[in-house]
Structure formats: C-alpha cells, structure tokens
Amino acid sequence: MAAAAGCDVVMAATEPELLYDEEAKSLTPLTSHPSVPLLEAESFKEQGNAYYAKKDYNEAYNYYTKAIDMCPKNASYYGNRAATLMMLGRFREALGDAQQSVRLDDSFVRGHLREGKCHLSLGNAMAACRSFQRALELDHKNAQAQQEFKNANAVIEYEKIAETDFEKRDFRKVVFCMDRALEFAPACHRFKILKAECLAMLGRYPEAQSVASDILRMDSTNADALYVRGLCLYYEDCIEKAVQFFVQALRMAPDHEKACVACRNAKALKAKKEDGNKAFKEGNYKLAYELYTEALGIDPNNIKTNAKLYCNRGTVNSKLRKLDDAIEDCTNAVKLDDTYIKAYLRRAQCYMDTEQYEEAVRDYEKVYQTEKTKEHKQLLKNAQLELKKSKRKDYYKILGVDKNASEDEIKKAYRKRALMHHPDRHSGASAEVQKEEEKKFKEVGEAFTILSDPKKKTRYDSGQDLDEEGMNMGDFDANNIFKAFFGGPGGFSFEGGYAFCPWESPDHKQRQRLHS
C-alpha cells in the first residue's frame, strides 16, 4: 500500500519572485500576482509531505486540503490527499480524490494506481482492473501496476469460487476464499458479511458476531450486518432477540430477502416449539409429537434449536414407551450438538429402561466428565452396577420368574425347571443334548440356591460378588439340591417314564408323565 499511496513531491520556491505582467508591461511583486496562490499551495503541499513522511497522516491530510483549497485544479494535490486517506483507511473518500486527480490529468499514472487500489480495497475488483490497465497503457513496465492487476484478478477468481461453494453449502471453503480476498480488499464489507454469514452457518458464532459488530460500529444502518447479528442469535436459539435484528434489517432494507426468510422462519419455529411444549405439559403427547415434528421441518440449518426439538420429541417418545424411537431422537440431538447434556441424560435413561447398560454407562460417563455433580456421579454408579449385574447369570431368567417373585413362586419355578432338565429324563437323547440339558439342570439348581436364600438373594440383587462370603458356586452340586428338594420317604423315581412327586401331600400323590 505504501508504494501506491506515496506522495508526489514537487519542490517549491522558498523566496518570493517577481513575475512580468504582460498587461501592465511592468514587473509586479509576486505577492500580488495571480500565481501567488499556486506557490502558497505548493508550500502547503510540502508541509503535507513532511507530515506524511513522519506518518502523521491527519496533519498531512489537513495541509493537502489547504493546498487543494488554494489550487483546486492540481491533480497531484488530490493524488497526495488520496494517498493520505488510504493510509487512514478511509478508502471511499480516497477513491473520490483519486478519481478527481485522473479527471484533471488522465496521464497521471499514480492517480490511476491509487484509484485502482481504492477500488480493490473496497472489493470492486473489476473496476480496479480497469484502473490498473490504464496505468499500464501509460507505463507498460510499471511493476506495481502489473502486480496489482494480478491481485485484482485473483480477487475476481476468489469471488467466483466462493459463489459456487456457497451454493454447494461448502461454507468452510467460502470462508477460506473470503480470507484470501480480504488480504487484498480489507475494506470490503460485502466480503466480510459473506464470511460472517458462513461462520454463522458453521456454528462459529462469536467470530461471526465480531465481524458483524465491527461493520455496525462503522455503519449502524448496514442491513447485511444486522441480518448476520440476527442470524447468530437465531442459530444460538435466542429466537426472540434474533427477530428484533431481522426486523431492524428489514427497516433499513425492506427488500432484504435473506432477512425476510429468516424472520419468517424464526417466528414459525418459536410458535411451533411453544405449542409443542404446551401440549406436552398438558399430557397430550401425541399432539406434542406432531408439533415438534413440524417444527423440525422448518429450518434444517438451525442446529441448536433442532437439537432441542429432537430431545423434546425423544422425551415424548419415552412417555409413549417408544423407547427405540426416543433413543434415535436423542442420538440425532447429540449429533447436532455434542455438548447437549440433557439429550445424553435422556438417551442414557432410555438405554437403562431397555437394559442396554454398556451404552448407558458411556452416556453417563460423558455427562459426568462434562458436569461433575453428585447427581451425575450417582447415575453413573447405578448404570455401572446394572452393567456388572447384567454380565452375571440372570437367575431370575433361568427360573423364568420376575425379579419381584415370591418365595413360593421361586419354589414352583424350580420344581418345573428341575424336572424339565433333569439328566435322567434325557438319558436316551444324543450326547450333545444330554450335555446341554445337564448344563441347564445345574444352572436351575444354582439359581434356586441363590434366590431361595434371603441373604444370598439380597447380595445378588444388590450386585455384590457372591464369592466374597464363601458362596463359591464352583463347588455347587445340582444333584444334592435336587435330592434335598424332592427328598422324602419314597425318594424320587423316573421309572416307566413317570416321575413320582413326593412334594405333594400324602393324600394327593400322583404320577406325572415326563413326556408330552
């Protein structure tokens, strides 16, 4: 920029001179001659050059302005003031001065360079190319004009790529292109707004907000910046505040299409979500499900709000006992927002209810790592205990009884299963079947041993290790349990394919056919 903005130094006379006045046919003092303003203007220019060299651009601007006031037809004065304004970052004003300089002198190469540089800094790469081309026509070897012409064409190419990628929703690539373009066009609000919009779409809200806020500090009526501020709030689920910014943007630019669409979506989303919440609180779960589903169809780009909607719908499904659907909804929620604790907790509970304990432990671990509260720690411990219990033999399942089965129900279940799997009953079966039935017979006896003993049952139900107090199931003998249970004066016999049942009262002894 320094090269493009450098000042044109013209040495001025330091002493007054006498000029010959043709009309008066005599010598006239310089101070009373029409050329005196030019010399004073040159003096102001020299002072401006001195301040410019010291990088005191505000003072340089003041003196160049004085020079222009004294001699408004001098191209170099406008060129120097343009250079100063460029150094102050006031490119739009600088552009006006640069354009005036080349209007006064179309052969002014530096004027064309400054005009092109201003156009490029403001993001008008096509106009910049025209200015640099004119400079090259006047001086085809000008290295600065050649380089700036390349830079302008590079910006044009970045714009084209960004436009294509935006349509493809490849927002990361658009941000990359805009960052490269802004290296050459630092004052282009259009590029900054496009970058900010894409940052918002990528969920990088603080960065997007920062870019939009910088523009609004310079131009509080910028509808595009107001739209981006609203977009960030909208995507952060601050819908009410977002609507305020969209409305403000539409006041500044009533035809702002994006602000109009976003405002409409925000209002619709807010209404559907609130209606769904109301239906849920009233216990109308079917209606709540429908409303949350409709809300999810409004704007797939609103990740944070949609994550909440999925979790809300998952809660509805859990109330409807559609646990697999609830798990799917919660999974969709954490895919959209992997920091959403409520969705992890809801899914973990559904995993617990469906006895998927390993998955439940994973979710509770994630929650506890994020928020180390007593409540979350206890939930994790409960899930770990259930997981540990699930890896042991399920004695209730082996006997075919509920976990709340009574002592009598447990005895009846053992009686039925023991007879069903007793080895003698399968003596004529293949070796493979005999082996399998013998295994099941042993498991039935083992289950009965634990569940029929209140102390052992309590330890088993609480997840404690049964071997800790000498309850070594490795030394267990199923036949002894069977004999003890069926023992009596007559013993037990499978003769003739019938089983004698001594547990019945003496008056009701009967034979039970073993084979159906």
Side-chain angles (χ1 to χ4, degrees), residues 102-120:
V102 296
R103 275 196 291 268
L104 292 169
D105 181 4
D106 186 53
S107 65
F108 186 23
V109 175
R110 283 200 173 201
H112 288 293
L113 282 173
R114 287 168 189 150
E115 181 187 10
K117 189 69 176 176
C118 289
H119 277 309
L120 186 57

Side-chain angles (χ1 to χ4, degrees), residues 415-439:
R415 181 184 304 148
K416 177 182 177 181
R417 297 295 173 111
L419 289 172
M420 184 185 300
H421 301 296
H422 194 285
D424 287 353
R425 180 182 179 185
H426 303 281
S427 58
S430 66
E432 186 178 348
V433 170
Q434 287 186 39
K435 186 177 180 181
E436 181 63 25
E437 292 299 326
E438 186 177 352
K439 177 185 175 184

Side-chain angles (χ1 to χ4, degrees), residues 10-254:
V10 176
M11 298 304 295
T14 56
E15 296 294 333
E17 297 180 14
L18 293 178
L19 297 180
Y20 185 75
D21 189 328
E22 288 289 342
E23 292 184 4
K25 304 294 183 183
S26 63
L27 291 172
T28 306
L30 181 61
T31 52
S32 62
H33 194 276
S35 296
V36 170
L38 175 60
L39 292 176
E40 288 186 34
E42 284 295 309
S43 175
F44 288 137
K45 175 184 174 181
E46 289 302 323
Q47 292 178 74
N49 289 347
Y51 281 114
Y52 187 97
K54 291 188 291 186
K55 298 184 179 180
D56 187 345
Y57 301 118
N58 286 311
E59 277 302 307
Y61 172 84
N62 291 335
Y63 278 98
Y64 291 141
T65 299
K66 289 179 181 180
I68 289 171
D69 290 342
M70 293 295 293
C71 189
K73 300 296 183 180
N74 189 303
S76 70
Y77 297 167
Y78 286 100
N80 281 12
R81 192 169 72 174
T84 304
L85 287 166
M86 290 167 70
M87 297 307 293
L88 290 169
R90 293 158 61 180
F91 292 100
R92 201 159 294 283
E93 296 171 72
L95 177 60
D97 276 353
Q99 288 174 326
Q100 180 62 13
S101 74
V102 296
R103 275 196 291 268
L104 292 169
D105 181 4
D106 186 53
S107 65
F108 186 23
V109 175
R110 283 200 173 201
H112 288 293
L113 282 173
R114 287 168 189 150
E115 181 187 10
K117 189 69 176 176
C118 289
H119 277 309
L120 186 57
S121 295
L122 292 165
N124 192 344
M126 293 296 291
C129 282
R130 289 193 292 270
S131 296
F132 297 136
Q133 281 177 325
R134 178 58 182 152
L136 288 169
E137 288 171 6
L138 296 168
D139 180 6
H140 69 278
K141 292 183 179 181
N142 190 298
Q144 184 185 347
Q146 291 171 355
Q147 184 57 54
E148 294 292 1
F149 184 72
K150 289 180 181 178
N151 293 345
N153 278 298
V155 170
I156 291 171
E157 189 61 28
Y158 285 130
E159 281 191 82
K160 289 179 181 177
I161 296 171
E163 184 179 354
T164 301
D165 289 329
F166 189 86
E167 290 178 2
K168 293 178 181 177
R169 302 184 64 79
D170 189 349
F171 301 121
R172 284 184 176 80
K173 197 168 179 183
V174 177
V175 171
F176 172 82
C177 288
M178 288 302 96
D179 279 337
R180 300 291 80 74
L182 284 164
E183 291 173 5
F184 302 115
C188 181
H189 287 180
R190 184 163 48 87
F191 292 169
K192 290 178 181 179
I193 289 294
L194 181 56
K195 174 186 174 180
E197 185 178 357
C198 290
L199 288 171
M201 300 299 277
L202 291 168
R204 293 160 62 179
Y205 307 119
E207 295 172 75
Q209 289 270 32
S210 177
V211 174
S213 296
D214 286 345
I215 293 173
L216 288 171
R217 273 192 287 272
M218 294 182 282
D219 178 9
S220 62
T221 64
N222 190 298
D224 290 326
L226 289 168
Y227 160 71
V228 169
R229 282 292 306 275
L231 196 66
C232 291
L233 290 166
Y234 172 60
Y235 285 151
E236 288 183 291
D237 199 37
C238 301
I239 296 179
E240 199 166 333
K241 288 183 179 179
V243 169
Q244 293 174 6
F245 275 96
F246 294 144
V247 170
Q248 195 175 347
L250 289 167
R251 283 201 196 103
M252 299 299 110

Side-chain angles (χ1 to χ4, degrees), residues 204-365:
R204 293 160 62 179
Y205 307 119
E207 295 172 75
Q209 289 270 32
S210 177
V211 174
S213 296
D214 286 345
I215 293 173
L216 288 171
R217 273 192 287 272
M218 294 182 282
D219 178 9
S220 62
T221 64
N222 190 298
D224 290 326
L226 289 168
Y227 160 71
V228 169
R229 282 292 306 275
L231 196 66
C232 291
L233 290 166
Y234 172 60
Y235 285 151
E236 288 183 291
D237 199 37
C238 301
I239 296 179
E240 199 166 333
K241 288 183 179 179
V243 169
Q244 293 174 6
F245 275 96
F246 294 144
V247 170
Q248 195 175 347
L250 289 167
R251 283 201 196 103
M252 299 299 110
D255 296 329
H256 199 294
E257 187 178 346
K258 288 183 177 180
C260 185
V261 171
C263 190
R264 185 169 61 246
N265 284 346
K267 289 179 179 179
L269 202 54
K270 181 174 181 287
K272 286 291 182 186
K273 184 181 176 185
E274 288 176 351
D275 288 346
N277 293 346
K278 183 173 180 289
F280 180 82
K281 288 177 183 176
E282 293 172 351
N284 191 342
Y285 301 130
K286 184 179 179 182
L287 177 59
Y289 177 89
E290 291 173 357
L291 288 166
Y292 289 141
T293 301
E294 288 173 13
L296 282 165
I298 291 172
D299 184 2
N301 296 320
N302 195 324
I303 292 172
K304 214 154 194 174
T305 302
N306 287 344
K308 291 183 179 180
L309 288 169
Y310 271 120
C311 186
N312 286 2
R313 197 173 73 174
T315 303
V316 171
N317 276 322
S318 70
K319 290 288 186 181
L320 294 170
R321 304 311 296 167
K322 296 179 179 180
L323 297 178
D324 289 339
D325 290 342
I327 289 170
E328 184 180 353
D329 276 340
C330 291
T331 299
N332 285 328
V334 298
K335 280 180 181 177
L336 292 175
D337 181 2
D338 63 0
T339 66
Y340 193 13
I341 296 299
K342 189 176 178 181
Y344 283 109
L345 288 170
R346 172 60 58 194
R347 186 172 69 175
Q349 184 57 56
C350 291
Y351 280 140
M352 292 289 285
D353 292 342
T354 53
E355 299 184 1
Q356 299 179 66
Y357 300 119
E358 288 188 6
E359 290 82 354
V361 167
R362 274 201 300 272
D363 277 353
Y364 283 131
E365 283 176 341

